């Protein structure tokens, strides 16, 4: 250490985030600006994720979008495991409100246990106007690359997707058949 001169350097960094966005829209003459201001709120500073946005439009309506992530559901095994593994980015629920009245709601439910060590969506639920969420899609089969191979829509019809080009691109969608029966008819890889 005698031949080295050592000093301590500090590089303080701060959490940089968007808290307010302002958008001015002008008429064709460049006059009469209309301001749209969106406020971004981060309720959980530990995870530093967007919890909600609030926008006051030109009609005086307060539009809110609320988001929940795996760490917002303590006690639910699959989301606890995701949080422990630092898989905290997926939005589990998203709710839109207009002046406090629910306009829409969406929830993505994840698989338990994980498929191929990946936490994948198993069902999707949606609702509008404050109604009870209803199942709009169920993913039945994924391949080893986490591609959706078989799903059932709101209509109850099973669909399968065939992936080609080294499992990178969907090359066919077959309606009314399951994945196992379709792949049994395909010789080799696509």
């Amino acid at each position: 250490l005698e031949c080295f001169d050592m000093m301590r350097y500090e590089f303080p960094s701060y959490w940089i985030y968007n808290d307010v966005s302002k958008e001015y829209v002008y008429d064709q003459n460049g006059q009469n600006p209309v301001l749209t201001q969106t406020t971004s709120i981060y309720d959980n500073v530990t995870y530093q994720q967007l919890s909600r946005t609030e926008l006051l439009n030109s009609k005086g309506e307060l539009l809110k979008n609320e988001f929940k992530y795996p760490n917002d559901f303590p006690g639910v095994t699959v989301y606890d495991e995701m949080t422990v593994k630092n898989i905290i980015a997926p939005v589990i629920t998203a709710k839109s409100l207009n002046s406090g009245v629910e306009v829409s709601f969406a929830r993505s439910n994840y698989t338990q246990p994980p498929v191929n060590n990946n936490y994948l969506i198993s069902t999707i639920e949606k609702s509008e106007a404050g109604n009870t969420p209803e199942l709009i899609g169920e993913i039945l089969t994924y391949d080893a690359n986490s591609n959706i191979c078989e799903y059932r829509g709101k209509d109850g019809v099973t669909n399968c997707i065939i992936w080609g080009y080294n499992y990178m691109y969907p090359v066919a969608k077959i309606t009314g058949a399951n994945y196992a029966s379709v792949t049994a008819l395909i010789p080799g890889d696509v």
Side-chain angles (χ1 to χ4, degrees), residues 44-129:
N44 189 338
V45 293
T46 302
Y47 294 103
Q48 300 178 346
Q49 294 171 303
L50 181 64
S51 300
R52 64 184 186 276
T53 60
E54 296 179 352
L55 179 140
L56 186 61
N57 66 16
S58 59
K59 298 177 189 175
E61 300 168 326
L62 180 62
L63 307 177
K64 286 185 183 180
N65 290 311
E66 298 176 350
F67 309 100
K68 293 198 180 280
Y69 304 90
N71 54 291
D72 292 317
F73 298 93
V76 178
T77 306
V78 67
Y79 302 129
D80 287 343
E81 289 178 5
M82 289 171 77
T83 302
V84 166
K85 293 179 180 178
N86 204 32
I87 303 171
I88 57 172
V91 175
I92 306 300
T93 65
K95 185 191 309 186
S96 296
L97 300 108
N98 184 344
S99 300
V101 177
E102 186 177 306
V103 176
S104 67
F105 176 82
R107 177 177 30 237
S108 299
N109 298 306
Y110 281 75
T111 56
Q112 176 63 32
V115 177
N116 303 324
N117 286 327
N118 292 317
Y119 291 91
L120 304 170
I121 296 173
S122 59
T123 60
I124 300 168
E125 300 171 274
K126 288 190 177 182
S127 70
E128 299 206 9

Side-chain angles (χ1 to χ4, degrees), residues 13 19 37 51 53 66 85 101 108 126 132 135 149 158 162:
S13 63
D19 58 350
Q37 180 172 312
S51 300
T53 60
E66 298 176 350
K85 293 179 180 178
V101 177
S108 299
K126 288 190 177 182
T132 303
L135 185 69
C149 294
T158 300
I162 303 300

